[in-house]
Amino acid sequence: QVQLVQSGAEVKKPGASVKVSCKASGYTFTGYYIHWVRQAPGQGLEWMGWVNPDTGTTKYAQKFQGRVTMTRDTPITTGYMQLSRLTSDDTAVYYCARIQRGGSGLDPWGQGTLVTVSS
Amino acid sequence: QSALTQPRSVSGSPGQSVTISCTGTSSDVGGYHYVSWYQEHPGKAPKVMIYDVSKRPSGVPDRFSGSKSGNTASLTISGLQAEDEADYYCFSYTGTYTSWVFGGGTKLTVL
């Protein structure tokens, strides 16, 4: 079945970087964009950006421009989201999700990766 | 990009209907047919309930429906059930920065 499996929880110090992976299976990896979404504790969902697994093209939310990098490794059908210069405000669960071709539905979602930023 | 506007909370009794609104602008909700809705239970990943304004994925009960009028999209849940109690988020494409944006989220309480 179509599935996205993310890497495990991370604890980082302020100023560090984190890289979260998203392993896709059950479909043609290069056929669907991967979006990244985060959710801080007790807060709502926040869109971060997307990567086109076929071309590597990316689009980032303005808020994260210059601090986020989304990449993919096509042979191993895995997407990555790297966030640098972390602060405590970046403590959140980070999700990857596949978006429908030509549509607006994010499905499926990864299980989420908790990133904790603490000194 | 500001989040789309949703009511912080709504409530209803079992069997009743509730509607959750999602208000944006002509640059996002009003300008495109790319609005989707997500249900999120505590500790779980979000689940798509409606996509492209009014389409329902297979497996989602037909009690869930979506619509749009002008710059406001709506999710209606009829025949409320206890398991519908969750947070709901709308999500729209926006042409302002050719990006996407979520609503602030709505907590649905089934009384």
Side-chain angles (χ1 to χ4, degrees):
Chain A
Q1 76 281 22
V2 177
Q3 196 174 6
L4 299 175
V5 178
Q6 299 182 221
S7 48
E10 303 259 15
V11 179
K12 295 291 182 181
K13 296 219 183 299
S17 296
V18 68
K19 190 171 186 177
V20 180
S21 68
C22 173
K23 167 72 175 174
S25 61
Y27 72 96
T28 302
F29 179 64
T30 53
Y32 299 81
Y33 287 28
I34 295 289
H35 286 235
W36 288 88
V37 175
R38 77 176 186 180
Q39 186 171 38
Q43 303 300 308
L45 300 174
E46 183 174 30
W47 181 78
M48 298 182 68
W50 54 253
V51 57
N52 178 345
D54 186 26
T55 63
T57 306
T58 56
K59 178 70 179 181
Y60 305 137
Q62 277 206 310
K63 174 177 179 176
F64 300 104
Q65 290 272 9
R67 211 161 63 91
V68 70
T69 304
M70 295 176 188
T71 57
R72 90 290 189 220
D73 188 334
T74 303
I76 61 170
T77 65
T78 300
Y80 301 94
M81 187 286 299
Q82 180 168 335
L83 190 62
S84 62
R85 302 193 299 278
L86 294 169
T87 72
S88 57
D89 290 342
D90 295 315
T91 293
V93 175
Y94 290 77
Y95 292 102
C96 62
R98 186 189 80 164
I99 196 162
Q100 297 165 324
R101 255 193 294 229
S104 61
L106 292 168
D107 180 55
W109 292 60
Q111 82 277 20
T113 296
L114 175 61
V115 175
T116 302
V117 183
S118 173
S119 55
Chain B
Q1 177 64 36
S2 299
L4 306 174
T5 301
Q6 296 182 231
R8 292 289 295 267
S9 64
V10 299
S11 63
S13 299
Q16 289 186 329
S17 294
V18 294
T19 296
I20 300 171
S21 60
C22 170
T23 302
T25 69
S26 58
S27 295
D28 40 63
V29 173
Y32 304 91
H33 219 58
Y34 295 135
V35 178
S36 51
W37 289 91
Y38 299 85
Q39 177 190 67
E40 185 183 42
H41 285 112
K44 298 286 187 69
K47 173 187 175 184
V48 63
M49 306 304 283
I50 295 288
Y51 66 96
D52 295 356
V53 175
S54 60
K55 297 178 181 177
R56 198 171 44 249
S58 60
V60 172
D62 60 7
R63 303 185 293 103
F64 290 83
S65 62
S67 61
K68 187 180 79 164
S69 177
N71 297 335
T72 298
S74 298
L75 172 70
T76 297
I77 309 170
S78 58
L80 269 179
Q81 298 182 4
E83 59 261 37
D84 299 333
E85 185 163 293
D87 293 325
Y88 290 85
Y89 295 88
C90 59
F91 181 58
S92 174
Y93 177 77
T94 168
T96 302
Y97 299 106
T98 60
S99 59
W100 296 78
V101 63
F102 279 101
T106 299
K107 181 174 180 60
L108 168 63
T109 300
V110 180
L111 302 171

